Structure formats: C-alpha cells, structure tokens
C-alpha cells in the first residue's frame, strides 16, 4: 500500500448513494490511498463544497492538499497522474499508438456510461406509461451495448495486472442500481445481458467494491423517497 505523506491530505466531499462519488472511493481503495470521507447534505450544501466547486456546486469533489478536483471521471484521471506509483486505471501512457488508442477507448466507454446509463435509469423511475416503456427499451439497449464491449473478458480492462480498469470503476457503482432498474422497468439484467450480470457479480466480490457500494435494497429505498418527493407515486 502506498504510504506517501500526501495521501493523508486527500479529502472526498461526497454523498453516500452517489455512483459518481463511489467511483472515487473505489479508485482510491484500488490504489491503496488513504482519504477522509465527508458526507454532504445535498439539501444544505456546505460552504466548503460551494467554495470548492463554485461552477457546478455538486459532489464529488476531491481535495488534495486543499486544492479541489471536480467531476468524477476527471478525478479518476487525476489520481492516475498525481499518484503514478499506484496501480493505474487507464493504460499507462507511452509513445506507442496502441497505448494512446487503449486510453482513448477507455475514456469513450466511461463517457458512454455517463451520458447514457444514469439519465436513462432516472427516467425509468420518474416516468410512467409509454415514456417509461421507451426508457426500458433504451436501458436494455445500453446494457447490451456494454456487454458487447465486455465480450468474454473478465473485466473491461485498462487497468494493470488484471485489476479493475477505468471503465470498470466508472460503471461498477451502477450495479447497485440494477435491482431498482429491474423493479421499475420490469426486466431482468441477467436475462438481457448475462455476461454483464456475471461481471457485476465478479466486481462485487472485490474488497474495494464491496466496501463502498450500498446494498441494492438501500438504493431502491432511496429511490422510493425520491419518488415521493417528486410526486411520482
């Protein structure tokens, strides 16, 4: 485990159920980096959060020696750059075009998760009738697209020595939401994307993932609170 003094200067402003914050927690655990976790009340955001992310005013924010880094995928890349002696999430940079392509491909799929999965999942529980049915069809397509990229691999890759890579860390927090997607959308991840479901189970057995993901039931209960808040049910 890395033991540089600067590791102790890592502080994560986060919210317990956020898949974006969970990415950062899992990444730091994979790298063996110690950090302080600070739970934010998103209904009454702290002055520290508002000062640290004045543009978006959102979690997660990583403070490294007091300097803020915002947006989860940027934080993951920053951790690779700032702690080069820890296991990399992205393929290590070198002069070869193959390495550059592998890094670009990993970034593409992480961006795909950000642009497609979270928004579609939100529509599954927010909407009813045909709009919800459309979201269900889109979610099935998203999951099958991700499964096709995974192929027969154990993980999406990008990391070192068979460890979780950039895409794995970007996607795995959403596996805690799969149960809610299934309940709201009326489908089974196991049936529509069995290889992706098996990948989720493998990831769930890794300590860094198991420690930082809430149970699917807790996520479902959280969504029930959101439904009540927004008058969905």
């Amino acid at each position: 485990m890395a033991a540089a003094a600067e590791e102790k200067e890592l502080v994560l402003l986060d919210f317990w159920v956020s898949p974006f914050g969970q990415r950062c927690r899992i990444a730091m655990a994979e790298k063996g980096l110690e950090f302080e976790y600070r739970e934010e009340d998103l209904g009454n955001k702290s002055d520290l959060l508002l000062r640290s992310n004045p543009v978006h005013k959102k979690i997660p924010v990583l403070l490294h020696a007091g300097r803020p880094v915002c947006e989860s995928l940027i934080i993951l890349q920053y951790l690779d750059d700032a702690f080069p002696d820890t296991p990399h999430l992205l393929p290590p940079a070198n002069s070869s075009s193959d390495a550059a392509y592998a890094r670009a491909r990993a970034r593409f799929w992480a961006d795909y998760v950000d642009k497609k999965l979270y928004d579609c999942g939100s529509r599954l529980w927010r909407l009813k009738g045909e709009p919800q049915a459309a979201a269900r069809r889109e979610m099935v397509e998203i999951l099958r697209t991700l499964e096709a990229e995974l192929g027969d691999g154990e993980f999406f890759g990008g990391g070192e020595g068979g460890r979780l890579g950039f895409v794995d860390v970007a996607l795995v927090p959403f596996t805690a939401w799969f149960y809610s997607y299934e309940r709201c959308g009326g489908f089974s991840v196991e049936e529509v994307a069995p290889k992706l479901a098996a990948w989720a189970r493998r990831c769930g057995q890794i300590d860094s993932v198991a420690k930082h993901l809430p149970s699917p039931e807790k996520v479902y209960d959280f969504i029930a609170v959101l439904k009540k808040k927004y008058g969905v049910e």
Side-chain angles (χ1 to χ4, degrees), residues 114-155:
D114 270 9
K115 288 179 176 175
K116 301 289 286 187
L117 189 59
Y118 181 75
D119 175 69
C120 185
S122 296
R123 284 185 277 119
L124 273 177
W125 64 261
R126 282 180 180 266
L127 302 177
K128 295 181 178 181
E130 177 51 34
Q132 185 187 55
R136 176 198 179 278
R137 292 190 293 270
E138 182 179 350
M139 177 60 75
V140 169
E141 180 182 356
I142 291 168
L143 295 174
R144 286 174 172 166
T145 298
L146 289 167
E147 180 177 67
E149 172 61 18
L150 174 65
D152 294 323
E154 186 176 9
F155 299 107

Side-chain angles (χ1 to χ4, degrees), residues 8 56 58 69 71 78 85 93 118 121 147 180 206 226 230:
K8 299 179 181 178
H56 297 301
K58 293 180 178 180
V69 183
E71 298 294 306
Y78 175 82
D85 295 331
Y118 181 75
E147 180 177 67
S180 297
I206 298 172
L226 293 179
Y230 293 108

Side-chain angles (χ1 to χ4, degrees), residues 11 27 33 39 44 55-56 67 99 101 108 125 135 139 155 159 171 184 202 209 212 219:
V11 177
L33 299 171
E39 177 80 0
N44 184 26
V55 176
H56 297 301
R67 297 182 297 184
Y101 179 74
F108 171 86
W125 64 261
M139 177 60 75
F155 299 107
L171 177 58
C184 296
R202 283 193 295 274
V209 176
H212 293 290
V219 174

Side-chain angles (χ1 to χ4, degrees), residues 204-227:
Q205 295 172 354
I206 298 172
D207 287 345
S208 62
V209 176
K211 181 179 178 180
H212 293 290
L213 291 193
S215 71
E217 291 77 17
K218 285 189 70 175
V219 174
Y220 186 71
D221 290 344
F222 175 74
I223 289 177
V225 172
L226 293 179
K227 283 184 173 184

Side-chain angles (χ1 to χ4, degrees), residues 159-179:
E160 297 176 303
R163 302 175 68 104
L164 295 179
F166 191 69
V167 181
D168 297 295
V169 174
L171 177 58
V172 73
F174 291 96
T175 62
W177 295 69
F178 280 2
Y179 173 73

